[in-house]
Amino acid sequence: MSEIPKANEPQSVESKWYDFWLKQECFTADPARVSATRPAYSIVIPPPNVTGVLTLGHVLNNTIQDILARKARMDGKEVLWLPGTDHAGIATQNVVEKTMKKAGEIKHRNDLGREALVAKIWDWKEKYGGIILQQLKALGASCDWTRTRFTMDPEYSRCVQKVFVDLYKKGLIYRGKRMVNWCPASLTALSDEEVTMKEQKGFMYHFKVEVAEVPGTFLTIATTRPETIPGDTAVAVNPKDPRYAHLIGKHIVRPLPVEVPREQKLIPIIGDDHVDFEFGTGVLKVTPAHDKADFEIGQRHQLPVVEVIEADGKMNALAGQDLNGLDRFAARKLAVEKLTELGSLEKQEPYTNNVGYSERADVPIEPRLSEQWFLKYPSVDASKKCVAGGEMKFFPDRWAKVYDHWMGGIQDWCISRQLWWGHRIPVWTAEFPSEEIAKQSEVLLRELGDKVTFHREGKKISAATAHDGTEHFFAMHGWHQDPDVLDTWFSSWLWPFATMGWTGDKDTDAKNPTLQAFYPTTDLVTGPDIIFFWVARMIMAGYEYMGDLPFRNVYFTGIIRDKQGRKMSKSLGNSPDPLDLIAKYGADALRFGVMRAAPLGQDILFDEQNVELGRNFCNKLWNACRFRQMQGGEAQGEIDVSKLRSDDKWILLKLHAAIKELDTAFAEYRFSDATATLYRFFYSEYCDWYVESCKAVLPRPATDAPSPSPLNGERAGVRGEDGQDAGAVENTPPHPGPLPPVGRGGEGEDARKAAAAANVVAVMDFVLSHTLRLFHPFVPFITEELWHGMGYATDMPDAQGGKSIMHAPWPKPFDTDFRDHYSLDDCYLEFVNAKFDLVSKGRNLRAEARIAANKKVKFIFKSDRDLPPNDIEVIKLLLNAETLEINPEYVPGKNVSSVKAEMGELYLPLEGHVDVAGETVRLAKELEKIVVEITKVEQKLANPSFAQKVPAEVLTEHRKRLEDWIAKRDHVQKAIDGLKE
RNA sequence: GGGCGAUUGGCGCAGUGGUAGCGCAGCAGCUUUACACGCUGUGGGUCGGGGGUUCGAAUCCCUCAUCGCCCA
C-alpha cells in the first residue's frame, strides 16, 4: 500500500470523480421525478460563443451556477442545469474567414460563396465547437450534458423561424429603410446595443463658407468630420438664433468637393429648432446620409440624401476626385488640407468626443441608410411589471432600476445582419411579370393556409414561412429568400424555452414534460453587460411565447479584473488561462479562491494568491480528515451524550451557527459571505480550537505503531458501472480496529480513556460529515473524495449520499429536540469562549516573556469557579503548560507576570529572568489604553441626556463595560506595583 | 448633461445608529499527536474632505472631491 499522501493531490482525484459522476448520470435531470416533495430547480447556462475558450469570467459565472445547482440537489430538488453554445454570428464568421485568409485559402468570402463558407464554418464548429464545454467539465460543472443545445440545432432553428414568422404576422417585424449602425469592417448593420461609446481625441475644425446671395458674408461651421462636407445638403441654424435667423432661405457655397471646372454647389440655409445655439458656432452642417440626427433634419426638410461613403468606409466618386477611393480617416486629413488650401479653414482645436464603436470589430461605426429588418418589442408591459413589482428579483437589486430605465425608452431592434453564418431570414420574395399574375399567385399562397404569411405590393409578393414543405415550394418556384441572417440575440432570447423543446404549438408544448417541469427556470446567472442584449429580451420573449417569466431570480456577477483593477484583456496579457490554474492548483482551489474574492455586486480583483489560498484551504480540509482518520475507530460511531465535553458542545453549537449563516448567505446570493463563514468555521473554530482541544483526550500515538490508515484515492470507493463498490473487497477496510489502549492506569482507567477518545472521534465524524456537505457546492471534488474516503457514504441510501455526496441532504440548523438531547445550551458557547480567552491571554504572556512556544512552563490560575478536569486539561495543553495549578488563594510574588481574563487571573512565574524594564513598559502601555477606554465610557455616562434618552439595555451595557475596564485597570496597576517592589 | 456604484489599516473587503472587524500581506517565534499549502503571538485605521441631525454617526441628511460603470 502506498504512503499516506501528506497533501491533497487534486489532479488525479478530480478527473476520477468527474468521470464517476458522468457514468452514474448524476447530472441528468428527469422531469418524471419532479413532485410536490421533490420540486424542480433549473438554470439555463448563458451560452458561450461556440468558438470561445474558457476565461476567468466563465469560471466565475459557471462556478456560481454549479454552486446553486449542487446546493439545490442537496436540498432534494430535481435539478436541470442546461448547457449549450451560441453560434455568435459575427464573431464566428470572422474567426473562420480570418483563418482561411491567413492560410491563403481565400482572399475574400466571395471566393467561396455563401454555401461553401457556411459549410466551412460548420466544419470548424464540429471540430472546435465543443472546447469550451469540455473546459467547463474540468471546472466541475454539473450540467446535464445529455441536453446540450446549440442555437443552430435544427429544432432550435425551427423555433427561431417560428417566432420570426409569428412576429411578422403580428406586424411587429417590418422591413424599412432607416439609419442604422453600420460596421464598415464586418460589413453589416448592428443593433444599438452592439455599439459602445468610446471617448476619442480628435479635432474640431472651424471653416467658413460664403453666403451666395450676400457676397462677402461668411458663416463659420464647426465639425469633427470635414470629410463628409461633400455629402452636405444644407446648413441649419436655429430660427430663434438672432445671429443667423435672417439668413434662412439663402444659400451657402459648399467648399467641397472642389468642382472642376470651378463651380461650387450651393446648398440652402435652413431653420431647425433642434440646432443648439451653444454648440460650436451655432451653424450645423447637415449630412443626411451619414448622421442619424442629420438624417432626421433631412426628413423634416425634404433634403436630398447624398451618400459619399461606401459600405466599406471608403469615399466614393460623389466625394470628389480628390477624396474618391480614400478611407474615411485618410479622407478627413485630405479634406482638411483642401480647406486650408482654399483659405476656408479658420482653426482646428483639439476636441474630445464620444464615438460609437462596433463592439465586435472595434472600429468606429458609420451611421448609414439601409434597408433592414426591425422588431417592435413584444410584451413590454408585462416585462416591465414583473421586475418593478418584485415578481422577478435582481441581485443586486440596483440593476432593476437600470432595466426599468432601458425598458422605458426602447427603440425598435434592428435584427438583420449582412452575414452568412446564422439563421437566414425566412422570407421569400418574388416579382411577377404583372400585377395580374401576382394576384393569381396570391390565390395559390392562400391555399397554403397558416403555413405562410404574405403581403403583396404591386407585382411583388413577400412571404414568410417556417414550414418545411413551403420552403421547398418557394425554392422550386424561383422565389428568392432574403439574403440576410438574424442577429444572434434573436435566437438567444428564446434560450430558456427553445432549449427545452418548445414548438409554439400549444397542445404539443402542454405535453412536453421538460417544459412543464422546468419552465420557468429558477435562477439566471450572468454579467450585467448583457442585461439589455439578453436578459431583457429573454423576459419579453418569455412572456410573449410562454405567457410567463423565464426565470425568477437573476444574479448579476461582477467583472473580473486584474489586481490593479484593469479589465482582463488579451493585449495586456493579464488574463491567466483558467486551465493552467486548474492544472497548478486544482479546480476546487480555483473555485474557492474566486468565490471568496467575489462579493455580491462588486467587481472581482483577481490575484493568483486567491487560488493559492483556495489550494491551502483544500489541503487543510484534507489534513483535518486525515487527522481524524489517524485516530482509527469505527466511522460515525454513536455519540454518548453523557460523555460530551464542553468543547464538544461548543463545536456543535458553532456548526449550528455556521449552517444558519450559510442559509442566510444562500438566500441572499451572498457567496463570498458563505465562503467566509466556511473558512472561519473550519479554520478558526474546528481546526484551531476544537481539534486542538481534542488532543487532550485522544491517545498519544505510540511511536512504534504501524502507520495509521491511509486516506488515498485508491481506497476511496469509486463504484463500477454495476453500482458495486469496486474497491472495497480487495482493499484494506478504511477503519482499522478499535483505539489502542494507552496510559498506565488500571484496566478501568484505560477503558474510560478509550471511551472518551471514541466519543470525541464520534463528534469529529459528526462535524466533518456535516462540514463536507456544507463545502460540497464550493469544492465538489475534494469533498466527494473525502466523503467516500472517510466512510461517510457507507451507511447512506444511494439517493441520500450513498452514491455521491452531491445527493446527501444539505444540513439543517439543529432543531430543539436535537439541542435538548445533546444539551446544547448557549452557556457552553460563553464558557468555552471564556476558556479560549484565557488561553489566548496566557499565550500572550508567554510570547511577551519571550518564552519559546515549545518550552513547557508552569502557570497558576486563580479561578473564580470550579472547572471540570477536562477543561483544566485543555487549558493546560493549549498553553503548553508543564503544570497548571488551580489556586483561588494565590498571591503573586515578585517576578510573576499576570493577566486578567474573563474566567479569572492567570499567573506566569518568570523564575528570575524577568525583564523588569520591558515588562513595566508593556504594562504601562496597556494601562494607557485602558485609561482611554475608561475616559470614553465615563464621559458618555456623565452626559445627563445620555442617561435620560438611551434605552435601558444600552445604559446597563455601558455601566458593565466601565466596571470591566476598571477591574482591568486595577489588575494592571497591581502588576506594575508588584514589579516595583 | 442624467443615473448608478465605490471611497474603512499596505492590499482586498465586511460592518446601516451604541467598545471599528475579517482575510491576505508584514513583523517575531515555533518541526507542537494532521497540515510549513502549517501553528502561535503581534504591530498597523481620528472609516475621502467639510457641514448638519442625534445623548451618541463608518452607519442618517446636505455638500464637495476622486475613481469606475451605464445612458444621452
Side-chain angles (χ1 to χ4, degrees), chain A residues 384 404-411:
Chain A
K384 276 185 82 169
D404 197 62
H405 182 253
W406 186 80
M407 290 293 285
I410 38 174
Q411 305 280 313

Side-chain angles (χ1 to χ4, degrees), chain A residues 263-317:
Chain A
E263 175 135 359
Q264 290 306 112
K265 175 111 175 155
L266 300 185
I267 54 173
I269 301 169
I270 57 171
D272 194 285
D273 291 336
H274 285 72
V275 178
D276 185 352
F277 288 44
E278 311 284 324
F279 188 83
T281 57
V283 184
L284 180 73
K285 67 192 264 308
V286 183
T287 326
H290 298 293
D291 184 281
K292 260 185 189 172
D294 289 6
F295 179 75
E296 278 161 31
I297 295 176
Q299 293 283 87
R300 285 196 287 274
H301 300 270
Q302 287 89 45
L303 296 176
V305 178
V306 178
E307 209 170 82
V308 295
I309 305 173
E310 290 294 303
D312 60 359
K314 292 202 170 82
M315 311 303 291
N316 64 17

